[in-house]
Amino acid sequence: MSEKMSEKFIRGELLNVNCPSRDVLKRVTSRWSVLILLALQDQTLRFSALRRTVGGVSERMLAQNLRYLEEDGFVQRIAYDVVPPHVEYRLTPLGREVGEQVVGLADWLELNLSRILAQREKSAAE
């Protein structure tokens, strides 16, 4: 073996069907999670403001993805004991780290969107 077992364990094996990192990958790279991470990159938002910021997301999908991101330690849910209930969401330090990766992907997509759309048109014409 060219790689130490400890190095393999730390890095994870995304290509292995049994690797638990696949579940995290699925959660982090869902469309809504990516957009939530982008929206919370530099701010703390209430649920309703987050829903407005992430256009097109249903309450159910927003709540589900926030729950997943909270379970994985990327988002902190802050509930205030007031009436009516006041809940805010912000990225944790771990969430800011993964958010930086997501920003890189989003930037790349925006910069290359015209090339991607041109390829789609070319493929559709064939």
Side-chain angles (χ1 to χ4, degrees), residues 27-80:
R27 287 180 171 196
V28 168
T29 59
S30 79
R31 168 183 28 172
W32 301 122
S33 289
V34 166
L35 296 174
I36 291 166
L37 290 168
L38 288 171
L40 294 175
Q41 193 65 30
D42 296 317
Q43 58 188 337
T44 298
L45 293 172
R46 292 180 69 169
F47 185 90
S48 57
L50 186 53
R51 185 165 179 229
R52 282 190 302 275
T53 302
V54 179
V57 65
S58 69
E59 283 188 30
R60 179 180 169 274
M61 289 307 296
L62 180 57
Q64 180 182 48
N65 281 273
L66 282 168
R67 192 168 32 257
Y68 290 156
L69 291 169
E70 185 181 6
E71 287 174 5
D72 290 339
F74 300 127
V75 168
Q76 180 183 14
R77 179 181 186 272
I78 307 143
Y80 296 93

Side-chain angles (χ1 to χ4, degrees), residues 100-119:
E100 289 173 11
Q101 305 305 311
V102 169
V103 166
L105 174 61
D107 288 346
W108 184 89
L109 285 171
E110 291 293 330
L111 289 170
N112 291 282
L113 186 59
S114 61
R115 292 172 50 205
I116 296 164
L117 294 177
Q119 180 59 42

